[in-house]
Amino acid sequence: MELLGLAAIVLYFFIALRFWQGFHRTYYSQSRFVLSVLWLPLLLNKSYRQNFRRALLG
């Protein structure tokens, strides 16, 4: 169970790092850190979800 929790945390930060690296492909111009850290709850927003996909996939 502890290994599963650790894997979830690592995956969360890995995806946040990928978003951080692809941030220049989005329409956002500021709040890079906040948007990268809060990516999971923000996925409920359609506009954010499109920009998130754009940042990750290119």
Side-chain angles (χ1 to χ4, degrees):
M1 194 60 109
E2 294 169 3
L3 186 58
L4 184 61
L6 180 62
I9 291 170
V10 169
L11 181 63
Y12 186 91
F13 284 109
F14 175 74
I15 293 173
L17 179 64
R18 290 278 317 251
F19 180 75
W20 180 278
Q21 292 172 338
F23 189 81
H24 65 278
R25 295 185 199 112
T26 67
Y27 294 126
Y28 302 121
S29 60
Q30 56 187 347
S31 302
R32 183 180 196 173
F33 178 76
V34 173
L35 292 173
S36 296
V37 172
L38 297 176
W39 68 267
L40 188 59
L42 290 173
L43 284 178
L44 296 174
N45 182 304
K46 183 179 180 182
S47 174
Y48 180 83
R49 196 168 43 246
Q50 290 171 343
N51 278 293
F52 184 78
R53 189 177 306 120
R54 187 177 294 118
L56 263 55
L57 301 178

